[in-house]
Amino acid sequence: MMYSDIPAAQTLVLYFKSRGVKNIVISPGSRNAPLTISFTKNPFFNCFSIVDERCAAFFAMGMAQHLREPVAVLCSSGSAMLNFYPAVAEAYYSDIPLIVVSADRPSYRIDIGDGQTIRQENVLEKHIGYSANLKQDVSHAAKTISKFGGSLLEEGQADVQEHNEKQIVRALAVAFNEKYPVHINIPFEEPLYGRVEEPTVKIQNLEAPAAADTSIEENWDELSEIWRSSSRKMVLVGVDHPNAIDEEVLEILANDPNTVLFTETTSNLHHPEFFESIDSIIAPIEKSKQREKLFKALQPELLVTFGGLIVSKKIKAFLREYKPEKHWHIDAKKANDTFYCLTKHIRTSPNRFFKEIVSEEIDANSDYKAFWEDKKEKYELKRKAYLQEIPFSDFIAFERIIKNIPKGYQVHLANSSTVRYAQLFTMDQSLQVFCNRGTSGIDGSTSTAVGSSIHSEEPTLLLTGDLSFFYDSNALWNKYMRRDFRIVLINNSGGGIFRILPGKEDTEEFETFFETSHELSAKHLADMYGFEHITADDEAELEDVLKGFYSASKKPKILEVATPRVLNNKILLGYFDFIS
């Protein structure tokens, strides 16, 4: 093994090892050389080199999301770290423990005109769980320090070491206990490349601060009584990990005639009795002459939510207008008042909550669920009929693609049109579905999927649109692509989602500045990065190429599906008219 001769670098590496932070994503640079040397020369760590910092941060975040444990991403000084910010914000709102480590210039080099220097301390503080600003070692490069930053020498190395250890320990505790991203900023003075075979510091291995106990013991009898006596209960589930809810709980909820349970594709929750396509229930009501009456019939007395952010804009608009009497959110960490009617934050797991309050004894017995099940059966039949009537488009492409995903795959969805189309169709319950819904940006979808694939026991499929794919094309610039990695790229020559939003105009300005129409193909990118590239331009071609797309290969594959730009929005909007 080899270590940098700089104490702060040694200290960080030793604490990462002692706490079990094994995966380190490194964006090459010079100022971070002390850390790069120390991590890459220690066989305990799995080190990954990703040049583009934005891609590196999403790559690390995808890995942390999959492993459900902290993963570190490391960069040089200057604007490099600012490229981490999109992934940091996503991790913050998605409760993913990303550890950002930035090498910094000494304080006396900042704001004097030196290159690659910015004000790095606390720069991520608005979207971070903790910012650890380490102090510069005074035992390293002491002559330089005395010449330019003599005031630093007023503090001894022992005091610097104690401060740095406490900061590192606190940051790691937040990442592990609270599942927030954290930032550790470390200033280094040159020389940066000195090495020693054994560490010259001995860390104290300080006790991590105990996690704050935010739990509140609930009056379960009272909550259970409210649950049992409510004749219209709605359970709405946002982003969640696969297999997060016990089968016992699912069966009890499925058999309650007073409960409508809405899931989203990203919830990874499945049962024949649940309602999987929220928009297919609500859109027909919006267009109905009986709109007010039907929305009143759907309005719950009690709304119970758990999981992360909700994709469906329609359910958010409905619940904000037709508010429930009570809204309980179940989460040990936080509760968002998404519908402006939150009445209770229950700080526990959904499994414990439902086991405490739900029983087979039901006081109120209504036709709430049965009424909406009838609507569900009707739209499912009409969706099948609609697919027989329409020409090839995004709608047909997504239906065929989703239906043909092999069992057991890990599926990553890009944002905008992709995740919204996926909401309309049933995913096989063996699939594990992920999407960056914390900030819902198109940046980083591919990088996240690639990072998540690294430690996955199953193959990974990225289902993406053209703008998301081309925006994050540097995600393919690495040597870690698995041969079983698959990308299905829906290329509709622009941001198709803008054609269904209010304010759409058929003008050159709209096509250029909103839809951003283009004529790009992934062919050259596939050739450059060593992917097999396959195309499909119509329904027959798509069904034909899907037969062999997932078979074993020597290269990862991209399937690029071309769909008609100016027709897709009409067919999607026509679907909601048809089922109405």
Side-chain angles (χ1 to χ4, degrees), residues 95 305-307 329-335 345-350:
D95 300 323
T305 57
F306 63 90
H329 186 75
I330 317 304
D331 189 272
K333 181 177 176 181
K334 62 185 179 184
H345 175 197
I346 300 175
R347 297 176 181 272
T348 189
S349 69

Side-chain angles (χ1 to χ4, degrees), residues 81 89 97 141 182 232 244 332 346 391 414 455 483 491 517 526 530 562:
M81 185 187 61
V182 297
R232 297 196 311 275
I346 300 175
H455 295 292
R483 290 183 296 179
N491 191 340
S517 60

